[in-house]
Each structure stands twice: as C-alpha cells, then as structure tokens.
Amino acid sequence: MNKQIKRWGLLSVTALTAVSLAACGANTKPNEAGQASGDAAAGGDKPVKLRIVWWGSQARHDATLKALDAYTKKHPNVTFEPEFSGFDGYADKLATQAAAKNAPDIIQMDPAWLAEYSARNQLADLSQGINTADIDKSLVDSGKYKDKLYAIPLGNNATGMVFNKNAVDKLGITPPANGWTWDQYFQFGKDAKAKLEKDKYALMDATNDYTVYSSYQISQGKGYPITVDGKFNIDKDTYLTFVKKYADLRKDGIVPPPDIATTDKESDAKMDLMNNDTVLMKRSFAALFPGYEGVKPGAYTLVTQPKGAQSSGFLKPSMFWSVSADSKNVEASKKFIDWFVNDQEAADILTTTRGVPVSKKVLEYLTPKLTAADKLQIELIKNVAPDAQPFNPGAKGWSNYTAKDFKDIGEKVMFGKITPEAAYDELVKKAKDYQ
C-alpha cells in the first residue's frame, strides 16, 4: 500500500449495551438496496487506487492503516493512498482540495461541515450500496442533507471532559463526578491550582472555544449560539459572564496564560496540553479517548460536562465517511465503507478509535473484547444520554464563523487586546457577514 503521505434524536442507548447470543453475520446481510455487503459486493478485479483522508490521534492512524492493509489483502485489486494528520489545518486543506475538484475519494467528514459540502454538491449520494440496516435510524439520518444520504456515521459519540485521574489522586483533591455543575467545575480548578506547581494549570482557557461556550450557553437555557437554521443567538449577558469568568481564572493562574493556551493541538501526543501535563482537564469527546489512552495508558478518565439550569452535554456522530462527488471510484469507495462499518475483521482492528461502533451487530460482537478504556466511552454516552441536549450539526454557511472568527476574537480577549464588551460587539458585527 502506498503510504503517501436537521436536528436528530438521541442515540439508542440499548445499542451500546446489548449483547446477543445470535451469530452476527453482518458482513453477508443484504443491504436496503438489495445488494450484498462485504465480500459478495466486492466484485471485479480492475485495479483501483483510492485516496482516503482522515484526522486523528496516532492510535487512530495506526488502526486505520492496518484496516486498509486488511482490505487490500481481501481485495488485491484495491490499494490506498492515505493522507492523515491531526485536526489542526485539516478543514482548510480539505476545503481547498474540494474547491479544486481534487478531494480524496473517501473523506473523513465532521458533522459541522456536512451541510456546506452537501449544499455545494461536493459529496456523492450514498443512499444506495451501503448496508445501514443495523445502525440506529437517527444516527443514519444525521448523515443526510435534504433527504439524501451524503455521509455514513462511524461512531456514537458524546461530549464530556477528560482529566488525568492519576494526577488528581496524587494532589489529594476530590475528583470530578458525573452530574457536576459549572460552579463545582470552577471550584475544582481553584482546589487543584492550590496544590499544583507554578507552571502547571488546572483547566483549559475556553474563551476562544466555541464548543465549550455553546455548552455553557445551552446549559443556561439560552439555546445554541448559532441556531440550526442559521440565526445569530449569542446571548450578551451569558457571553460576558463566561468570558469574564475565564479572565479571573487567567489572573489566578488556574488556566494557562494565552501564549501557552494557544499552543494546544488537540490529540497531538506532544502538543496537546493534556498529554504534555500542562493542564489537568479539558473538554473532549468520547471518541477522542483512545488517543489519550494511547499516550498514557491508564492515566485518564472521562466525566460529563458541567451543567447549569440545564444539562450541557449532547450526543453526536463522532464523524463520517463521505465520498467526493468528483471521485471516479464512487462504487469502490462505497464497498470499502460498507466493509469498514459492518465487517467483524474491521471491527477487531479499529475497535473504538472512531467512537463506539455504529452497527449494533458489530457492537454485540465486539463488546466482550472491549478494554476498560473502551468501556469508558460507552459509560460516558450512557451518562450523557438521559438529559442530552438536541444536537446542532452546524448551520449551513456558518462553519468559518464558529471555527475561526469566534476563536480569533476570543484570542484577542485572552491577550488583552480588546475588552469582553468589545469582543461581543465584534461577534455581532462579524455575524452580519453570514446572515
């Protein structure tokens, strides 16, 4: 193998815990289009090279490369040209490739971008040819845009917090617990900082983090900052309270100074501020946990996000596989995705590196083999599910605002270049470009 380098219902929690005595046989069941999945659908021996791109941790990279090799052994006519990286820069590179009609055949797609790529006709229709019969309908529907399926979910996922339980135990402070509040979260930061060394910090600075702010605003009963239909909804009082709270945390050394906070690279073995022991805790997702576990086995654990008047957590597909509309290998790409999602051999290789498997039959097969770390993902999803907020996948046309503009304006506040009030005014002004 060439190593070149809208709103949907809660996921079925029963799918996460069910264990069946029946044989799985997921890789031979006919799909909804009446086609066989797995080997029976492989067909043909014409040489095919598939470009495939994803982001993630080293654990995900290693598992995916092994899966590609396994697929080529099964289908020698199919080889891969993998492109992979951390999350930073991934979205920009993919957007550039797609605009030039040079996107890889198979694309790891984030839910926040799906509407935009679909609306620009940059993704192939996957409604036929992939077995989705064993995936919760709500999860399948999360990959749809205007009733067409443009993305196949790869994992169940939930928002949460990851923290270094070994370090917390050594400090002798009370660890976080599921169902905790924002007040308890901030108090944990104070308690931890009182026992930490000078150049170590308890929490991440979330001033520039749209995901954390969204969770905070939702938990105050104010809804999403950008509504699912693309309306600006950042509540001024809530935003100012949030930003000023983090200013206090910055002053007290509970979060890192901005020149350190802005160096964080999520899931990077060395640059992630959790992995290099700069902070004790940060927001995360269940599906990211294998990356942390791979760096420091047994050191980390997961807990729900803090709540306010309401919960702040939500369930979501971890990510998708999509196929480029410009691909000359759409059918071969779909056959690979079908294998990736439904095959037991693939499951054995991939385990939970993209979240809890979406196929109920695959999960039933895999459950007895899951590690304690794998099961922590399932536990987080189960703990978030009962009062989970509705998932907002991101309004069409707003991804640059939520991913870049909010971050840039937040960083100005962190570095003391503008006041919180001026930051809010800038967010309002900037939003007019998107409405």
Side-chain angles (χ1 to χ4, degrees), residues 143-327:
K144 289 183 176 180
Y145 178 77
K146 293 188 175 178
D147 296 324
K148 282 192 176 181
L149 187 63
Y150 291 104
I152 302 298
L154 300 181
N156 282 315
N157 202 7
T159 55
M161 312 291 288
V162 60
F163 69 94
N164 190 323
K165 63 181 175 61
N166 290 351
V168 169
D169 288 346
K170 286 179 182 177
L171 292 177
I173 59 175
T174 303
N178 292 317
W180 63 334
T181 66
W182 287 104
D183 286 344
Q184 290 172 321
Y185 170 71
F186 295 130
Q187 186 61 48
F188 168 81
K190 291 177 184 177
D191 294 344
K193 181 58 184 177
K195 297 193 173 186
L196 284 168
E197 297 172 23
K198 185 178 180 181
D199 60 345
K200 304 295 182 183
Y201 307 90
L203 311 175
M204 283 290 293
D205 192 335
T207 305
N208 62 342
D209 190 327
Y210 181 80
T211 301
V212 176
Y213 177 70
S214 290
S215 296
Y216 183 79
Q217 181 169 306
I218 294 166
S219 75
Q220 307 306 311
K222 302 294 184 179
Y224 276 94
I226 306 300
T227 65
V228 71
D229 57 350
K231 299 291 189 298
F232 176 83
N233 187 45
I234 298 179
D235 181 75
K236 185 174 183 178
D237 289 344
T238 305
Y239 177 79
L240 292 179
T241 298
F242 179 84
V243 172
K244 289 177 180 179
K245 181 64 181 179
Y246 276 95
D248 291 340
L249 296 173
R250 219 165 23 251
K251 183 179 67 176
D252 294 339
I254 294 167
V255 302
D259 58 325
I260 293 176
T262 53
T263 66
D264 179 63
K265 292 188 183 298
E266 187 173 77
S267 299
D268 186 284
K270 295 181 180 178
M271 297 298 289
D272 187 300
L273 295 185
M274 274 281 295
N275 282 330
N276 64 24
D277 295 322
T278 301
V279 299
L280 283 180
M281 168 176 285
K282 65 187 296 192
R283 64 96 173 154
S284 191
F285 291 92
L288 293 179
F289 192 70
Y292 290 109
E293 175 70 11
V295 174
K296 292 182 181 175
Y300 300 117
T301 194
L302 293 164
V303 68
T304 56
Q305 289 188 150
K307 59 170 58 177
Q310 301 178 9
S311 68
S312 69
F314 54 86
L315 302 174
K316 68 188 285 286
S318 59
M319 61 208 68
F320 302 106
W321 281 135
S322 291
V323 177
S324 170
D326 298 307
S327 171

Side-chain angles (χ1 to χ4, degrees), residues 230 396-402 405 430-435:
K396 176 188 171 186
W398 283 85
S399 64
N400 200 59
Y401 184 88
T402 57
D405 295 337
K430 200 75 179 172
K432 292 177 181 175
D433 297 337
Y434 296 83
Q435 299 210 59

